[in-house]
Amino acid sequence: MADQFDLECRNVVKTFDDFTAVNDISLAIPKGSFFSILGPSGCGKTTLLRMLAGFQAPTSGDILIKGASVLGVPPNRRPVNMVFQHLALFPMMNVAENVAYGLKRRGVDKATITQKVNETLARVGLPDAGPKQISQLSGGQKQRIAIARCLVLDPAVLLLDEPLGALDLKLREHMKVELKQLQHEIGTTFVYITHDQSEALVMSDQVAVMNAGRFEQVGAPQDLYYNPKTAFVAGFVGESNRWHGTVEGGDDHKIEINLASGGKVIAKRDGQTNLVTGQGVDVFVRPEAIAIDGTEGADNSLSAKVDNVLFNGAASSLQVRELVTGHEMTVALPQTGAFASVKAGDEIRLSWSVEQTRCFASTEGGAGA
Amino acid sequence: MSKTASITGGSAFRFGLLLLAMPLLLWLFLLVILPHMDLFLVSMRERISYGKYEFSLINYIEFFAEPLYWNTYVRTAVMSIFATILTLVIGFPVSYYIAKVMRGKGKNALFLMCLIPFWVSELVRTFGWMILLRESGVISNFLQWAGIADGPVEMLYNDAAIMVGLVYTSMLFMVVPLVSVLDSLDDSLIEAGYDLGGNAFTVTRDIVIPHAMPGIASGCIVVFMLTLGNYLTPNLLGGKDSLWFTEQIYTQFITRFNWESGSAFGFLLLILSSAIVWIGLKLSKQTLSETVG
């Protein structure tokens, strides 16, 4: 029942004057999971998080923590704690005082505070950092102290507001793994908001993709990547080649589409019975789903000319231009050695299957969803 | 070769630096060091007869022997400290409101409202207070009209009037450094304080005030020095009973034409302000360089 969930939102709406920042969001986060909210900047994810923390009140709807409504409960009485975007460690206190701050406010006695602070610092891997000043810590260490400062209070839910944003790339990659591991070890429910899809996909049990104040899709990372339910999710999560076209025909399993740029592709229907002949659609194909010099008889195939070889180790890709229409595409270039000789100006044959082709009612076409 | 080149290069560099620093050095020497040296020398001599002087500590001895002098000295210090504290207590919430609560246009408007009184001279502002506070003034008339007072009420020429004038005169010099230091406080630090269980009092005590400490210290130093060295406000609002130490100095120099004694008093005021600022910095654990920078 309700108490299985650490955090629940029921039809939460937040409006600022005429602007609706969060539009009818419902979610339920099971105990001990890592839940991410992924969306572009301005999609309302920070507003949602601030409502969970208690810094803003929803216009309508209800927020429940461990089954009890927290509407009207100020941030200092909510059993949630927040790791801020720029961490917000108190520079006027040393590390131990930062971690002890919340316990002191609760009136815990000194011996217990010292013991708990030491335990928590050990848990985040910085047992000797206590007497250090905040300015003496590296970016990754600050990160861990900010988390320790919240964890020492045993919150029901830990909210994280893009805390990796300020770190350099290498450290960010490292912290992603570390954060996931930490969450796994301590078992606290994490709600993590980010605009970086890689962070969300790598760390989360569940990801909610948010756009314009609404959840587009909630699911496991694999789900979002392989079975996007909307054009926004298909375009936002992972790389995609995108075409615009109109539905020409098809059956229960596949849809034939005439591309606006010329040519024809066949896409998976995926239960979308609303797509009828003549409707505008967006077609998405992942770069790694396209085979170079594919076998004859594939569902979709076309010829293209290589514009550029973008070498980036295992993530190398080709920028190609379709011979007939001139449509630009990106194709993953497997570094198995088989295509080592491909260079700019080469003509190649590309193919991919129906299963790997998604289409969604076009957002620009005006035909409606 | 290279050695001589580097030597001439070095001296040219040093000469350029000297030239650049010259206005500052001249300013320091001519306007700060030289007058104070002369003040010191004048204060250490005694006039024997016309144009004849002798080294003596008589001026300083006189100061300690005459209770009026050092009573005024101590009173001025205590009143100045009190005025500084009062300015801080009133200025801090005002600054916090301007820096952290107001947004956009309202913030600038409010800040400007603090600034506007300073567009007219201190003399005019002080006369403004006199119009309000005197026996035939606005407040006195209002009280009589409202039936609260039976006759004219004199609110000028007491310590409260001096204090009101001093705090009003000093407010801007407290608000400006406080607003700038509070502006630099990241809102998320305050939010983090609340998020971790703090309330308005503990967040202010543990996060806002420690962050604002350099601004508090620099505001207090400026306000204290201005107050201690103020002549106009205590004189006009306090009348002949104001007993402000700068008035004693004025009297020595202008009325009694006793430059020796006046110089000694001036030097004692310098020592007083330096000592109290030093003690204040020690108590608030600030350094002068941190406060000024």
Side-chain angles (χ1 to χ4, degrees):
Chain A
M1 296 294 281
D3 57 1
Q4 291 175 335
F5 298 116
D6 267 348
L7 183 71
E8 249 189 293
C9 290
R10 292 184 184 155
N11 308 102
V12 170
V13 175
K14 177 72 183 178
T15 55
F16 299 101
D17 298 325
D18 295 339
F19 176 69
T20 306
V22 173
N23 191 355
D24 196 22
I25 290 232
S26 294
L27 61 85
I29 301 172
K31 196 170 171 49
S33 61
F34 197 125
F35 187 92
S36 289
I37 299 170
L38 172 66
S41 47
C43 74
K45 57 189 191 303
T46 300
T47 309
L48 179 62
L49 198 76
R50 291 175 64 81
M51 286 194 283
L52 299 180
F55 294 119
Q56 271 160 350
T59 312
S60 67
D62 201 358
I63 296 169
L64 297 95
I65 296 170
K66 287 203 181 288
S69 172
V70 292
L71 286 189
V73 178
N76 49 4
R77 303 238 178 77
R78 288 194 188 196
V80 295
N81 290 112
M82 185 154 160
V83 177
F84 288 81
Q85 190 163 11
H86 301 291
L87 306 179
L89 292 171
F90 305 133
M92 57 291 278
M93 308 176 196
N94 67 21
V95 168
E97 286 166 341
N98 261 281
V99 178
Y101 183 82
L103 293 172
K104 265 187 206 157
R105 296 287 80 76
R106 284 188 184 172
V108 178
D109 67 273
K110 267 193 182 157
T112 318
I113 289 180
T114 315
Q115 187 204 339
K116 278 201 160 191
V117 166
N118 288 336
E119 276 174 22
T120 314
L121 286 176
R123 202 157 63 171
V124 297
L126 294 167
D128 304 321
K132 282 191 186 167
Q133 291 302 313
I134 297 301
S135 52
Q136 289 173 279
L137 301 178
S138 71
Q141 289 172 328
K142 281 183 189 163
Q143 192 81 51
R144 284 187 255 177
I145 297 305
I147 293 167
R149 189 173 71 170
C150 295
L151 289 181
V152 76
L153 298 172
D154 283 322
V157 179
L158 184 65
L159 308 172
L160 300 103
D161 182 4
E162 306 199 30
L164 303 187
L167 303 180
D168 60 72
L169 186 69
K170 199 131 197 179
L171 189 56
R172 201 154 62 207
E173 294 299 318
H174 177 71
M175 286 306 293
K176 265 189 233 171
V177 180
E178 204 171 286
L179 212 55
K180 187 181 168 70
Q181 228 160 30
L182 187 70
Q183 193 271 338
H184 190 71
E185 279 165 25
I186 58 178
T188 303
T189 306
F190 277 33
V191 176
Y192 188 97
I193 74 167
T194 179
H195 62 264
D196 183 319
Q197 43 160 315
S198 144
E199 285 175 19
L201 296 179
V202 167
M203 292 190 282
S204 317
D205 299 316
Q206 290 263 300
V207 179
V209 180
M210 196 170 177
N211 182 35
R214 287 176 177 278
F215 279 177
E216 295 267 341
Q217 187 176 355
V218 184
Q222 292 85 347
D223 250 13
L224 297 176
Y225 194 83
Y226 292 114
N227 298 307
K229 292 280 180 271
T230 69
F232 180 80
V233 177
F236 191 70
V237 180
E239 295 282 316
S240 272
N241 290 298
R242 182 177 188 153
W243 289 273
H244 189 66
T246 46
V247 177
E248 157 102 342
D251 56 23
D252 282 358
H253 302 291
K254 48 193 183 190
I255 305 172
E256 286 172 31
I257 296 155
N258 272 334
L259 300 180
S261 53
K264 187 182 273 189
V265 294
I266 305 167
K268 193 180 174 188
R269 184 171 280 278
D270 207 18
Q272 298 184 93
T273 49
N274 59 331
L275 296 180
V276 294
T277 303
Q279 183 156 21
V281 287
D282 285 319
V283 183
F284 295 88
V285 180
R286 300 241 180 251
E288 72 271 21
I290 300 173
I292 302 171
D293 284 334
T295 46
E296 288 297 319
D299 303 311
N300 295 300
S301 62
L302 50 80
S303 296
K305 195 174 156 188
V306 177
D307 269 355
N308 265 316
V309 180
L310 305 177
F311 181 76
N312 183 17
S316 299
S317 61
L318 295 176
Q319 275 187 326
V320 302
R321 190 180 291 275
E322 205 200 328
L323 278 182
V324 189
T325 64
H327 191 91
E328 276 183 37
M329 294 170 65
T330 306
V331 178
L333 184 65
Q335 293 298 304
T336 50
F339 305 107
S341 61
V342 174
K343 57 186 187 301
D346 285 359
E347 276 180 27
I348 50 173
R349 182 100 187 128
L350 305 172
S351 64
W352 65 93
S353 74
V354 167
E355 289 298 306
Q356 306 275 22
T357 316
R358 303 272 151 185
C359 71
F360 303 96
S362 174
T363 43
E364 309 144 33
Chain B
M1 276 295 281
S2 68
K3 200 175 174 186
T4 51
S6 78
I7 286 169
T8 52
S11 70
F13 173 74
R14 238 171 268 154
F15 181 72
L17 195 71
L18 196 71
L19 210 64
L20 279 172
M22 197 44 89
L24 177 73
L25 293 176
L26 279 177
W27 185 76
L28 275 176
F29 182 73
L30 289 178
L31 298 177
V32 179
I33 297 172
L34 202 63
H36 273 93
M37 271 166 57
D38 193 50
L39 210 64
F40 181 69
L41 290 176
V42 171
S43 78
M44 297 297 267
R45 72 188 188 190
E46 187 189 359
R47 196 160 81 153
I48 305 299
S49 71
Y50 180 74
K52 206 171 162 200
Y53 297 96
E54 243 175 42
F55 172 81
S56 154
L57 287 173
I58 187 73
N59 299 310
Y60 292 93
I61 292 165
E62 204 176 46
F63 168 81
F64 288 105
E66 173 57 57
L68 178 72
Y69 292 155
W70 57 262
N71 273 345
T72 308
Y73 189 71
V74 172
R75 178 187 140 85
T76 307
V78 171
M79 291 268 286
S80 297
I81 291 170
F82 188 62
T84 307
I85 292 168
L86 207 61
T87 313
L88 177 64
V89 168
I90 297 169
F92 195 84
V94 171
S95 312
Y96 189 85
Y97 193 81
I98 292 174
K100 286 285 151 219
V101 181
M102 292 301 285
R103 292 276 176 268
K105 272 186 186 166
K107 183 174 179 160
N108 292 334
L110 221 58
F111 198 57
L112 202 65
M113 273 167 65
C114 287
L115 191 77
I116 280 174
F118 291 82
W119 286 359
V120 297
S121 84
E122 191 185 348
L123 187 68
V124 177
R125 271 179 282 141
T126 310
F127 275 126
W129 275 107
M130 293 178 79
I131 292 170
L132 286 176
L133 296 176
R134 69 182 177 202
E135 225 173 339
S136 56
V138 176
I139 295 175
S140 173
N141 276 325
F142 174 78
L143 290 177
Q144 290 173 69
W145 172 82
I148 296 167
D150 296 330
V153 189
E154 177 62 275
M155 275 169 284
L156 273 179
Y157 313 126
N158 55 45
D159 288 356
I162 297 178
M163 206 49 86
V164 165
L166 288 176
V167 169
Y168 178 70
T169 304
S170 317
M171 193 52 79
L172 183 74
F173 301 99
M174 188 62 89
V175 168
V176 169
L178 283 182
V179 166
S180 84
V181 78
L182 287 173
D183 252 339
S184 71
L185 175 62
D186 191 350
D187 285 346
S188 67
L189 284 182
I190 300 174
E191 283 181 346
Y194 281 106
D195 187 63
L196 295 166
N199 54 34
F201 172 72
T202 55
V203 168
T204 307
R205 185 193 60 192
D206 298 334
I207 296 159
V208 180
I209 290 182
H211 176 89
M213 215 54 207
I216 293 174
S218 75
C220 284
I221 288 174
V222 172
V223 168
F224 175 75
M225 287 183 168
L226 282 176
T227 307
L228 195 71
N230 201 327
Y231 175 74
L232 206 64
T233 306
N235 199 17
L236 288 177
L237 295 178
K240 63 182 189 306
D241 297 330
S242 63
L243 289 180
W244 211 255
F245 199 63
T246 47
E247 289 167 12
Q248 294 291 349
I249 298 174
Y250 180 87
T251 309
Q252 296 302 331
F253 274 110
I254 306 298
T255 315
R256 293 187 58 201
F257 215 70
N258 187 346
W259 279 55
E260 289 72 33
S261 173
S263 300
F265 285 13
F267 233 81
L268 286 165
L269 193 67
L270 179 70
I271 291 166
L272 179 70
S273 66
S274 308
I276 291 178
V277 166
W278 184 79
I279 291 168
L281 286 172
K282 282 283 161 247
L283 285 178
S284 62
K285 298 194 179 93
Q286 299 291 310
T287 62
L288 196 61
S289 56
E290 237 174 77
T291 308
V292 177

